[in-house]
Structures are given as C-alpha cells and as structure tokens.
Amino acid sequence: MPPRRPLPALRMLLAALCAAALLTPATRGQVARQPVRARRAIVASSSAFASQVGVEILRRGGNAVDAAVAVGLALAVTFPVAGNLGGGGFMLIRMADGRMAAIDYRETAPAAARRDMYLDADGNHRLEKSTLGYAAVGVPGTVAGFDLALRKYGRLKWAQVVAPARRLAREGFPVSYALAQGLRIAQRLAGDPESRRIFHRDGDYYAEGEIFRQPDLAATLERLEKRGSREFYEGETARRIAAAMRANGGFITLDDLKRYRPVEREPLRGTYRGYDIATFPPPSSGGIILLNVLNQLEGDDLAALGPGSSEASHLLIEALRRAFADRAALMGDPDFTTMPVETLISKEYAKERRATIDLRRATPSATVRAGMEAPASESEKVSEKAETTHYAIVDADGNLVTNTYTLNGPYGSGVTVPGTGVLLNNEMDDFAAKPGSLNAFQLIQGEANAIAPGKRPLSSMTPTIVFKDGKPWLALGSPGGPTIISTVIQTLINVIDHNMSLQQAIDAPRLHHQWMPDVVMWEPYGLSPDTRRALEAKGHRLEATPRYNGDVEAVLIDATGARLGASDPRNPDARAIGY
Ligand code: GLY
C-alpha cells in the first residue's frame, strides 16, 4: 500500500505532541521523566489520537465530562483492544462546584443467563464458553453511561461529542507499531468472520503507518450522532446486535438492550495519611480493596522502608493477600448481594487485618480466612491478558473525570456485530461461572458473584480521585484486571509516601498479589536479585510476569493550580496532552 499524506487532523496532533513535549521542564540535569505540564487542562489516555480529541473538545468550550465522553468514543475507534461501544465501565466525576458522581455503566447479565450457563455436563467451568464468542457477552453499558454523564454533568450536545469519533472512524488514522502487532497476534479476531474482515483484513494484516478506516463503525457512530444514544439500545444497532446473537448462540435480546440502564452510585470515601480519597464502590471490588490495603499500611513507615525494599514489598503483598481473600468471599453486585462495605473500608477492620501480618514470614494464602476453599489445582490457568483502558481529564475550571472502561479480554469476546463495526465484550467471565473456580484472570470468586439475570459482574476497575488539604488533587486509574487495584495502590504510595513525581510514580516497577494463586507476580526487571532472595527467604513464591502490569493515566492539580498529566510508558501509544 503506498504511503499516504497525513490528514490535517493528524498534522494538528503531531504539532500538539511537539507542544506537549515543550511543556515538560528542560531535561538538562534531570534524572527522571517529568509529567506533562499545562496551564489550563490535560487529557491523559491510552491513545494520543483520543487525548487530542479530548483537548479539542475542551478548547471548543466543553468541560471535562464532555471531553470524557468524546475521548471514550474516540478510543472505541483508535484503541479497539479495550476502547469500546460494546463494553462497560465506571466514570468518577468531581465537579468544581463540589458535586461528585460515580456512574456505573457496567454490563449486565442477559435475562436468559443462568448460574450454570458455562458449565459442562460434569459441572466443570468451560472457560472458552465464558470468554469467547457471542455467548460470553454481557449487555453493553458504555453508550448509555456516557449519555447519562453528559446529560447530567456535561455542557455540550450529544452530537458534538460523537462527531470526532465518527470522523476518526471514517477518515482513519495511522496504525502504530503497537496496534499493528496487537491486531496481528489477536487470535480471537481470526475466529470471527466479521472481526477477521475488519481487523485482520482477511489475512492482509495492517502494517505500521497504514491508515485504518472503519466505515461500518463510522456508520454506527453517525446513527448515534443523529438519533441519540437510545439508537444503540432500540434502533438499527440494537436490532443488528440481537440478530447476531440469535444467529450465533448468544443470549442478549432486543428486550435486554431496551432495559439496560446505567446507575449513579455514591463514591466510596476514605483517608490515607491525611489525604481524602474518593473511589469506586461495588460492583467494583477496586475501591474497597484500595481503601482496605491503604488502611492496613497506614501505620507503617513505608517511606523509611524505601520504595522497592523487601520489607515494604512484604507488607504490601500481605495486605493485598488479605484484601483479595475478602474479595473472593464477600463481594458482588450490591443490587443482588449484601456486603459489609463499611466494615471492610474501616480503619478498625484494617487494624485487625494488619495485626495478623507476620513481619518475618509470608502467611500462606490457604490459611488466610476467605470463607472458601482454595482450588485443588490450577489446571484452568490461562494467559488471558487483562485489557481495559483508563483515562483522566482535568479542565480549566478544575472539573475532574477519571474513567475506566473495558471489553474485559483483549478485543472482548472477539466478535464484531456484522455491519456495525462494534466489538462485543466478554464480561460474563467476570462472574464466578462456578463459585470457587478460577476465571480468566485466575481470580477465585464466590457465591456473591454468581451469575443471575440482570446482575452486574464484580469488577476490579478503580477510578480514584485524591484530595490534598481538602482540594481535588490527583485523578488516576489503570487497566489490568485484578492488577488494576495493586497498580493504583502502588502509584498512590509512590506519590504520597515516597514523594515521587507523578511520572516517576507511574514509571516505577510494580508487583501484584491476589490471595490465590499464592504467588507474587513481578514485572520484568522489577525486583533486584537480592530483594527477591529476601522475599523468598520469608516464604514468598515469586513469579515473573512475562509482561508489564497496567497503564496508569493520571492528572494532577498542583498547589499553584498548574495541571500535570502523566501516561504510562508501558503503553507506547498513550499520551498526556495539555494546553
Ligand atoms: N474486566 C475487568 C474488570 O472489570 O475488573
């Protein structure tokens, strides 16, 4: 394919990227990367094209919520591995006038869902059934969630925030190296004729620099732009989704789509070393675990122990182990399950949990109370990469949005609804298909998260806003399945305890523990050999992850009012852009 001249919008993006680079302080004499600085506003997302869409919306008078909706729709075009119309997620908003909102647009189980729908005749969980194809799909919430956020907290009209994504889909954008590689290795796309046609070009894979146009997705976005968000749930798009479900063994009906509603919930609140924290409530487990782990660690002088030290790592691992044991036993959709949320996020409960940590040795997970047995084997272990995406926005008025949304696995269930360009999620695997067995993230989950019609699966997504001296300060989040939670915790500890810049805090290596399997996952080059030996001497089992965990996208308002933004180097396409 001959090289093409970049589109005008792309030339603008390149100019903006150069400007963003100039906004960073001079690097002479500096030993670490610094966040992007801007006077008015910053958008940090997993795709430079989507961040640029957000900046354009802000420049045209939109607020952070308008930009958040436009960025989310743009990511569905430029970051198809996780950005979506066919998935769901959580948006945490803090308006400059003090209002806060936690918009839950998590997918729901269709009416025909049954608790044993992914079990075979012998009662075993068939992981491929809950992760691949039409049967794995939950009723998508993204379009309805964005519409609710915009109506209640935005300034612009729906059509104005949909238009940039429609243009990107129609005109196309140059494929990055990471996108070209990601598409090529995504085997699940090859298994669906429509996905194979659009994303694999029937075997003639996209190469870096080629322009990727998605006319079907552009047509879907144009219908949404003209007819409003209900089109997705009641119009031609809905009819196409329902027809594809019927033809391919899926469960979602037109009625399921029509009945889908996002929910506005109360954010969870807590404190850590004098900072106030607002984070996401159930059906995410993320906010509860974040507050519980920080509460457990608050009495320890992590700064004195030092970042990456074996002592600080041991404490973090043990606190995570205990919190994830609670997750497995207790957490699920609050509309279906009663959870002791207030207890779980209280300082008193954390103190009790902390008191059980032995500073000299690891506590085997099998002995940590979790209300259920450990699995007998890890035979279902798969290497599903956690794919979700996060972005954070601060506008000129100081409104903050932090949004995590997902298709669950990379490219979701791998299926694209014919004629729409819409990839569908495989969020049904976030339920406990068989309470006590492992899901694709090797998470054990309990009765509280069993499948039921209309129920939302338990999540780990953790969009979070931190307040310093009572003022909104830092908004952050990450993808990464269960590693989302440990990623957000470590980023906060790096900034608050270790006094790192936002960029250093994100760049630093991370580890993860989730109770079961009883292993410490650590990133390549993330632990020095003597730190590993010290942890092993305490009894920890270490497992190097073949990949990096998470993609933190964050914005911060400093004491002078300057906006700082940082993107994770683990995602080469991510970018914080400000003005
Ligand atoms: N699908 C990943 C999560 O919600 O935690």
Side-chain angles (χ1 to χ4, degrees):
M1 198 147 183
R4 296 169 197 255
R5 268 174 66 73
L7 299 164
L10 301 174
R11 287 202 296 273
M12 274 175 63
L13 172 62
L14 289 175
L17 293 180
C18 295
L22 290 175
L23 283 168
T24 56
T27 51
R28 199 180 163 84
Q30 241 169 235
V31 292
R33 296 199 309 137
Q34 293 297 314
V36 169
R37 290 181 71 85
R39 246 173 5 99
R40 299 170 67 80
I42 295 195
V43 180
S45 88
S46 304
S47 152
F49 301 109
S51 296
Q52 183 60 26
V53 162
V55 167
E56 280 164 16
I57 289 283
L58 293 172
R59 281 186 186 278
R60 290 213 305 265
N63 69 12
V65 178
D66 298 312
V69 174
V71 168
L73 296 171
L75 284 165
V77 180
T78 63
F79 196 67
V81 66
N84 68 81
L85 303 181
F90 303 134
M91 185 182 288
L92 189 65
I93 300 171
R94 204 282 183 175
M95 300 302 287
D97 63 11
R99 284 176 298 158
M100 281 210 77
I103 295 179
D104 164 1
Y105 56 97
R106 183 77 162 157
E107 300 90 328
T108 54
R114 295 291 170 260
R115 90 177 247 126
D116 59 356
M117 63 196 284
Y118 300 118
L119 305 187
D120 64 16
D122 299 322
N124 297 315
H125 175 195
R126 301 306 304 251
L127 195 56
E128 73 283 4
K129 286 173 87 176
S130 62
T131 54
L132 295 176
Y134 282 87
V137 184
V139 183
T142 295
V143 175
F146 285 177
D147 181 65
L148 173 65
L150 193 81
R151 274 175 204 277
K152 226 171 149 189
Y153 300 98
R155 259 186 223 147
L156 301 184
K157 296 256 179 301
W158 173 254
Q160 290 174 284
V161 296
V162 179
R166 188 251 307 145
R167 278 197 292 272
L168 269 170
R170 180 143 294 142
E171 294 169 16
F173 62 96
V175 171
S176 68
Y177 175 74
L179 177 58
Q181 292 297 106
L183 288 172
R184 196 183 179 106
I185 63 168
Q187 273 315 302
R188 67 187 54 190
L189 294 174
D192 175 64
E194 188 74 347
S195 296
R196 184 177 143 81
R197 176 178 74 79
I198 294 172
F199 297 102
H200 282 177
R201 220 164 36 184
D202 283 325
D204 176 20
Y205 297 105
Y206 282 96
E208 181 184 4
E210 275 192 79
I211 301 295
F212 182 30
R213 295 186 183 82
Q214 298 170 78
D216 291 347
L217 184 56
T220 299
L221 286 162
E222 190 168 344
R223 284 195 300 277
L224 293 180
E225 187 180 339
K226 288 190 171 144
R227 299 178 201 160
S229 67
R230 293 307 300 166
E231 198 285 326
F232 190 89
Y233 297 94
E234 300 183 38
E236 183 183 331
T237 307
R239 287 191 291 278
R240 285 179 185 254
I241 293 172
M245 287 281 159
R246 278 195 306 277
N248 294 286
F251 296 95
I252 296 174
T253 63
L254 254 186
D255 211 42
D256 287 315
L257 290 162
K258 227 180 243 178
R259 291 208 320 215
Y260 181 86
R261 291 290 179 273
V263 183
E264 195 170 335
R265 302 187 188 275
E266 268 301 303
L268 285 188
R269 310 273 185 160
T271 63
Y272 180 62
R273 301 195 198 283
Y275 292 79
D276 295 304
I277 296 175
T279 185
F280 220 88
S284 184
S285 63
I288 295 178
I289 297 181
L290 173 100
L291 294 176
N292 174 260
V293 167
L294 291 177
N295 284 339
Q296 288 190 63
L297 299 177
E298 200 171 33
D300 293 287
D301 192 349
L302 299 181
L305 295 177
S309 66
S310 62
E311 283 99 338
S313 301
H314 175 71
L315 280 167
L316 174 66
I317 293 160
E318 292 301 315
L320 285 168
R321 183 198 306 281
R322 284 155 179 77
F324 270 90
D326 287 338
R327 182 194 199 277
L330 302 168
M331 297 180 208
D333 181 346
D335 298 337
F336 285 71
T337 310
T338 310
M339 280 167 280
V341 175
E342 289 311 315
T343 302
L344 289 168
I345 63 171
S346 70
K347 300 279 183 200
E348 298 72 37
Y349 178 68
K351 218 165 161 188
E352 281 169 30
R353 294 301 254 171
R354 170 65 184 83
T356 67
I357 296 178
D358 184 337
L359 288 178
R360 291 157 306 157
R361 56 182 53 88
T363 313
S365 286
T367 68
V368 173
R369 176 177 64 81
M372 62 177 21
E373 292 295 313
S377 82
E378 291 175 16
S379 58
E380 285 183 90
K381 195 162 155 178
V382 293
S383 59
E384 174 84 313
K385 187 175 184 304
E387 281 299 354
T388 294
T389 183
H390 182 83
Y391 52 93
I393 300 173
V394 55
D395 68 19
D397 294 330
N399 299 308
L400 283 167
V401 177
T402 178
N403 185 81
T404 316
Y405 76 143
T406 186
L407 289 167
N408 193 31
Y411 304 97
S413 60
V415 297
T416 303
V417 180
T420 68
V422 174
L423 269 164
L424 293 174
N425 69 82
N426 61 353
E427 217 68 59
M428 291 298 285
D429 189 66
D430 268 352
F431 281 115
K434 178 181 178 185
S437 79
L438 302 173
N439 78 350
F441 300 128
Q442 300 178 54
L443 276 171
I444 297 177
Q445 318 196 72
E447 283 296 334
N449 191 30
I451 302 172
K455 191 172 174 182
R456 289 161 150 82
L458 185 63
S459 171
S460 298
M461 294 186 285
T462 316
T464 297
I465 296 176
V466 184
F467 298 74
K468 186 177 184 180
D469 303 325
K471 292 194 200 124
W473 179 57
L474 168 60
L476 79 168
S478 174
T483 70
I484 291 172
I485 312 174
S486 51
T487 292
V488 175
I489 290 170
Q490 286 166 91
T491 307
L492 285 181
I493 288 174
N494 286 343
V495 176
I496 293 174
D497 292 270
H498 302 310
N499 205 23
M500 293 185 193
S501 78
L502 184 57
Q503 191 65 64
Q504 287 171 312
I506 291 171
D507 294 357
R510 302 192 272 258
L511 50 75
H512 176 70
H513 198 287
Q514 59 182 47
W515 177 60
M516 292 285 182
D518 191 351
V519 291
V520 180
M521 296 171 224
W522 57 284
E523 294 184 313
Y525 318 109
L527 289 173
S528 68
D530 49 1
T531 310
R532 297 204 301 268
R533 277 195 296 277
L535 286 169
E536 278 163 353
K538 288 183 195 290
H540 293 289
R541 219 176 100 214
L542 302 183
E543 186 175 279
T545 44
R547 57 179 177 258
Y548 295 88
N549 288 334
D551 170 5
V552 177
E553 301 297 318
V555 295
L556 184 150
I557 307 174
D558 80 5
T560 69
R563 276 59 168 138
L564 308 187
S567 281
D568 204 314
R570 292 162 181 81
N571 173 1
D573 290 346
R575 205 76 85 246
I577 303 180
Y579 72 100

